[in-house]
Amino acid sequence: MQAGAIASNTPVAALSVTSGVDPLSVQNRVNKRKVSQCRSDDPAIGKEAACLLVDAETALQRNDSTSAISFYRHLNASSQFSAVERLVAAEKLFALGQTTADAGLREEALLRMLSTTALPEVEAQSARRSLVNLALDRGNAALAITRLREVVAQDANDAQSMANLAILLRQENLEGASESMMQAIQIKRVRGEPIPAGWADFVAAIR
């Protein structure tokens, strides 16, 4: 199957912290912190969010990924922060998952990115396709099908995802495999693109 892959991370403007910042305590969940003065070069990142991001980076420099993950999760999950700030935290979490080769963390981060609704649609589709791949990597075909349905629901002209859905439906002995593949073929025809030989064979085999 072919599916898009989301970029490893999205650059975030340089962050800095000045003196007078109270320490952040972590007790089962990350508590809010009173900020004296924090700033980011990105005007979309507020002072408190900037402090949390810097604290996470500081934790990583100490090889304390557990604390860094807590900072990112808190920032992403807290409604007090903007969608952009929450997206940045999820992107940082994804980058950490890639660095540590932690598929579970990458999956969590992708879901968190999508939940912010701030991810541009092209990147959101790439994230959805990546989630399909992660489900397949752990052998969860049912979840992969659910996620592929979400992909094609967002873009009915995604021929490859439609074909992938057909393949999984047939593999799992579920209805709709032939119809999905015929839709994929029709999309290719309308675009004047070559139709993979295996797609036509797929439909013929089911009939």
Side-chain angles (χ1 to χ4, degrees):
M1 291 188 179
Q2 297 175 6
I6 197 165
S8 60
N9 64 351
T10 300
V12 178
L15 302 167
S16 65
V17 178
T18 58
S19 60
V21 178
D22 295 331
L24 179 69
S25 62
V26 180
Q27 297 176 344
N28 297 325
R29 54 175 295 184
V30 182
N31 298 318
K32 288 196 302 181
R33 140 193 214 169
K34 291 184 178 180
V35 178
S36 176
Q37 187 178 7
C38 291
R39 66 180 178 83
S40 166
D41 291 340
D42 185 345
I45 306 299
K47 290 182 179 180
E48 187 166 350
C51 279
L52 287 170
L53 290 169
V54 170
D55 283 338
E57 291 176 4
T58 300
L60 290 175
Q61 291 171 1
R62 299 195 307 266
N63 294 318
D64 182 4
S65 60
T66 299
S67 292
I69 289 170
S70 293
F71 290 130
Y72 293 143
R73 283 174 173 161
H74 173 64
L75 176 50
N76 173 263
S78 299
S79 60
Q80 73 186 81
F81 298 111
S82 71
V84 172
E85 291 169 333
R86 289 184 282 112
L87 176 59
V88 168
E91 289 170 336
K92 290 287 191 179
L93 196 64
F94 183 84
L96 182 55
Q98 281 204 314
T99 300
T100 58
D102 186 334
L105 190 59
R106 292 201 309 274
E107 184 167 10
E108 175 191 342
L110 288 167
L111 291 169
R112 287 177 180 273
M113 285 184 206
L114 290 169
S115 72
T116 68
T117 70
L119 198 62
E121 185 52 33
V122 172
E123 294 179 34
Q125 276 294 80
S126 185
R128 294 183 189 105
R129 294 188 189 101
S130 294
L131 284 167
V132 172
N133 287 338
L134 286 166
L136 289 172
D137 286 345
R138 65 172 190 265
N140 193 335
L143 180 57
I145 288 171
T146 297
R147 289 175 173 176
L148 266 174
R149 291 191 192 279
E150 293 173 358
V151 170
V152 298
Q154 294 297 321
D155 182 3
N157 293 314
D158 186 343
Q160 185 61 62
S161 291
M162 194 73 72
N164 289 347
L165 176 59
I167 293 168
L168 280 177
L169 288 173
R170 184 176 69 175
Q171 174 185 304
E172 298 302 304
N173 296 313
L174 297 173
E175 295 182 355
S178 180
E179 291 79 3
S180 293
M181 187 60 80
M182 286 190 291
Q183 282 183 265
I185 290 172
Q186 181 60 23
I187 293 168
K188 289 283 191 179
R189 282 178 179 157
V190 170
R191 292 176 177 170
E193 298 174 355
I195 299 169
W199 292 14
D201 294 343
F202 181 97
V203 175
I206 291 180
R207 289 177 174 174

